[in-house]
Amino acid sequence: MTAPSKVSGSSRARISAARTLKPRRYPVSDGAPVEVVEDGAGIAGRLAWLAARLTVRPTLAIGSQLSFVPWPWGLIDFAFRAVAPIPGTVRATIGLAHCSALLVRARGVLPADGTHRVVLYLHGGAFLTCGVHSHGRMATMISRYADAPVLVMNYRMVPRHSVGQAIEDCLAGWRWLRGQGYGPDQIVVVGDSAGGYLALALAERLLAEGEEPAALVSMSPLMQLQAGPKLAHPNIGCDAMFPPKAFEALVGLIARAAARRVVDGRPEEVFEPLDHVGPGLPRTLIHVSGSEVLLYDARLAARRLAAAGVPVEVRIWPGQMHVFQICAPLVPEATRSLRQIGEYIREATG
């Protein structure tokens, strides 16, 4: 059994009231975001944080200074082809108009035939890198805990393509699932890091078209492209992965990619999804490290969603690295997080 979570004082009363009305593990906010602080990182989680600090952060520091260099970002996902899938995983490649996707389901999960629930997964990687192979094992674990197939999008990425094109590819993945017979209330959109941005942007696009996913789930989400507030956040010094220059470099890459794409005779505008939050968006769960800079984005997104009447919950995991869930099952807290996400998905679609 897992140890009980530590809950902030401002949230304890709301959680107690929700459980009094109807027993549920995951409280739903009522006009304000619910914030739950989980137990601190164990030895494995701290070692993962240290490994990222000693390897990823210096690499990104160099890359941020040389962001104009055509780095072979695709090699990261290619290298993950060597990682074997979890035994019993069933995978199928899906071809879409401008990209591909990988349909993943864990052992014992029913096929994606439109009769149960399904997850649309939008991977992170700063819109630059990673893909279906780097995130394949984590997708399988989500499939297992959610008891659902997972469609992992291989969307087009910066710098060759714009973020707007990535959003269009995610919309194509949604439409493919709808074509398989799934209703909006059977589909949960999950994203990590930059995939959190894409998940919210997709939900806003769908809302404009009259559709609403059953829920959104974000892990360590990048929700706002603006770099300034993140550079001023106290976690800028203790983030395991991101040096300050990384956010400024990313904004520059995104802006240049958008400027090269012409939409209706004009350069594509850089989209900030948090500036378009409104009523009608789906209930949202956010998991984030308490030690990363994107804690700022997670809390900002939660406040704006809750202010628009969207039920939203933030679970903070102290001492973990960015998207620590990718370390499951080696890091126990990562497995706990994915199990909680799976239960949330089942509840939202039940």
Side-chain angles (χ1 to χ4, degrees):
M1 295 179 64
T2 58
S5 302
K6 293 174 285 186
V7 184
S8 61
S10 62
S11 301
R12 189 173 290 110
R14 288 193 298 274
I15 294 173
S16 176
R19 286 176 174 163
T20 300
L21 293 173
K22 180 181 178 181
R24 57 190 301 139
R25 181 169 180 179
Y26 299 104
V28 176
S29 63
D30 182 14
V34 171
E35 188 171 290
V36 180
V37 180
E38 294 284 347
D39 296 326
I43 294 176
R46 294 181 183 277
L47 288 175
W49 182 96
L50 181 61
R53 181 79 175 196
L54 294 176
T55 58
V56 178
R57 186 175 170 114
T59 301
L60 290 180
I62 296 172
S64 300
Q65 297 293 336
L66 302 171
S67 60
F68 56 87
V69 174
W71 298 99
W73 297 109
L75 287 179
I76 294 178
D77 195 57
F78 182 81
F80 271 93
R81 290 174 178 263
V83 178
I86 295 174
T89 302
V90 178
R91 304 192 298 180
T93 299
I94 307 298
L96 300 170
H98 300 289
C99 69
S100 63
L102 189 68
L103 188 61
V104 176
R105 56 187 174 97
R107 187 197 304 272
V109 174
L110 295 174
D113 56 6
T115 60
H116 198 38
R117 67 177 67 89
V118 71
V119 172
L120 178 61
Y121 193 92
L122 314 178
H123 71 80
F127 308 106
L128 285 165
T129 186
C130 297
V132 297
H133 299 102
S134 63
H135 286 66
R137 290 179 68 91
M138 185 164 67
T140 300
M141 294 190 71
I142 292 174
S143 173
R144 172 189 171 191
Y145 293 129
D147 187 26
V150 178
L151 184 68
V152 188
M153 296 303 304
N154 231 1
Y155 55 83
R156 289 170 289 178
M157 290 187 282
V158 171
R160 291 184 60 190
H161 304 282
S162 70
V163 172
Q165 289 171 299
I167 296 172
E168 290 176 0
D169 291 343
C170 297
L171 180 61
W174 171 274
R175 288 173 174 164
W176 185 86
L177 291 174
R178 296 285 281 118
Q180 299 303 113
Y182 288 104
D185 60 347
Q186 294 174 286
I187 306 173
V188 174
V189 181
V190 180
D192 71 272
S193 194
Y197 167 105
L198 293 173
L200 181 56
L202 173 62
E204 291 170 347
R205 178 81 171 265
L206 292 172
L207 182 62
E209 298 182 1
E211 294 200 328
E212 179 187 350
L216 297 183
V217 177
S218 293
M219 294 172 277
S220 298
L222 173 69
M223 288 295 202
Q224 186 181 62
L225 299 181
Q226 185 180 352
K230 284 183 268 291
L231 299 181
H233 193 271
N235 282 359
I236 195 66
C238 63
D239 194 297
M241 288 192 181
F242 300 119
K245 185 69 175 178
F247 296 102
E248 295 174 324
L250 177 60
V251 170
L253 286 169
I254 291 171
R256 289 193 292 273
R260 288 194 299 269
R261 187 192 184 207
V262 177
V263 179
D264 297 329
R266 302 173 60 184
E268 177 182 296
E269 293 186 8
V270 176
F271 185 71
E272 286 284 11
L274 288 186
D275 293 341
H276 300 271
V277 170
L281 289 169
R283 57 183 287 185
T284 300
L285 172 67
I286 300 173
H287 282 222
V288 64
S289 165
S291 305
E292 65 174 314
V293 175
L294 293 184
L295 177 63
Y296 169 83
D297 288 46
R299 282 174 162 161
L300 177 63
R303 289 195 302 270
R304 293 196 180 178
L305 286 165
V310 178
V312 59
E313 175 186 350
V314 181
R315 288 190 170 247
I316 300 174
W317 299 78
Q320 301 290 345
M321 71 175 201
H322 176 68
V323 194
F324 65 97
Q325 294 87 353
I326 206 164
C327 297
L330 299 179
V331 174
E333 296 85 13
T335 302
R336 281 178 52 205
S337 173
L338 292 177
R339 185 180 293 113
Q340 289 178 9
I341 288 169
E343 292 176 357
Y344 184 88
I345 291 169
R346 285 190 275 112
E347 180 186 293
T349 53

